[in-house]
Amino acid sequence: MKKFGSSFKFSKTTMLIPLFALSMHSCNEANETGIVKAKIDNQVFLTPVNDTDFVYRVITFNEARKDRKTKNIYLNINEGDTILFHNDGGDAVEIRSSCYHSAILGGGHRYYNVLSINGVRVDSLPDLVYKQKRDAEIKALNERYQNLIKQH
C-alpha cells in the first residue's frame, strides 16, 4: 500500500510540472509591449515600440474603475510610458483592463491585463488612489477654512 501512494505522488508531480510549464509558456506568448501615446476618457492608446506614430491598441478602463487596483494602474500610467500587457485575444485591438477567470470550484479571480509600467510590476506601483483621496480631502478642508475666514 505504501508503494502505491509514493508512485501516485510521483506520477502526479510528473504530470503537473509539464502542464504548469506549458501553461506559463502560452501566457507569455500573448504578452505585448507598447508605448502610451495618450490617455483619453478612461482609455490608454498604445503604439508599437518601434513606431510611436502608429496607434495599434487601446486598453479600456471603463468596466472596472471601482476596483482599487485597476484605478491605481490607470492613475500610474502616463504618456510615454512603456506598458507590458497581456493580449489574450491575439490581435485584439481593444483590450479590457481586467477580466474574471472562473475558478474550478466556484468563485473566480480578477486578472489584470496590464502587467507592468516602465518595468515595475503592477503590484509594486505607488498607491496613487490613496494620494488622490488624501489630496481631495486636503483641498476640501482648505476650502472650508477659506469659507470660515470670509464669514468672520
Side-chain angles (χ1 to χ4, degrees):
M1 187 72 151
K2 195 172 188 178
K3 288 183 179 181
F4 176 76
S6 62
S7 66
F8 177 71
K9 287 180 185 176
F10 175 74
S11 66
K12 185 169 70 169
T13 305
T14 305
M15 293 300 292
L16 288 178
I17 290 173
L19 182 61
F20 179 74
L22 284 173
S23 66
M24 292 301 291
H25 180 66
S26 64
C27 289
N28 289 337
E29 288 180 356
N31 292 348
E32 296 181 22
T33 303
I35 306 293
V36 177
K37 182 75 169 178
K39 279 175 60 172
I40 304 170
D41 295 333
N42 298 329
Q43 296 179 328
V44 176
F45 294 87
L46 301 171
T47 65
V49 175
N50 58 357
D51 184 3
T52 57
D53 292 326
F54 176 69
V55 173
Y56 80 123
R57 302 279 188 260
V58 62
I59 300 175
T60 59
F61 286 83
N62 293 336
E63 63 195 357
R65 286 302 300 267
K66 294 177 183 175
D67 178 312
R68 181 181 178 89
K69 186 172 179 180
T70 303
K71 187 172 183 179
N72 192 49
I73 292 169
Y74 180 78
L75 290 173
N76 274 282
I77 295 174
N78 297 305
E79 288 183 26
D81 286 348
T82 303
I83 306 291
L84 176 67
F85 61 97
H86 183 73
N87 186 357
D88 59 0
D91 274 341
V93 172
E94 187 165 336
I95 300 159
R96 296 178 305 187
S97 60
S98 62
C99 58
Y100 286 101
H101 288 290
S102 61
I104 294 172
L105 299 173
H109 66 278
R110 185 177 294 251
Y111 176 79
Y112 298 92
N113 287 327
V114 175
L115 303 175
S116 70
I117 302 170
N118 293 329
V120 178
R121 303 296 288 180
V122 293
D123 293 328
S124 301
L125 292 171
D127 188 358
L128 296 183
V129 174
Y130 170 76
K131 183 180 181 318
Q132 185 181 50
K133 180 181 175 187
R134 186 171 173 259
D135 290 348
E137 289 172 350
I138 290 171
K139 182 179 176 184
L141 180 63
N142 281 312
E143 288 174 0
R144 191 172 88 192
Y145 171 72
Q146 292 299 326
N147 288 337
L148 288 173
I149 293 229
K150 286 179 186 178
Q151 290 175 357
H152 293 300

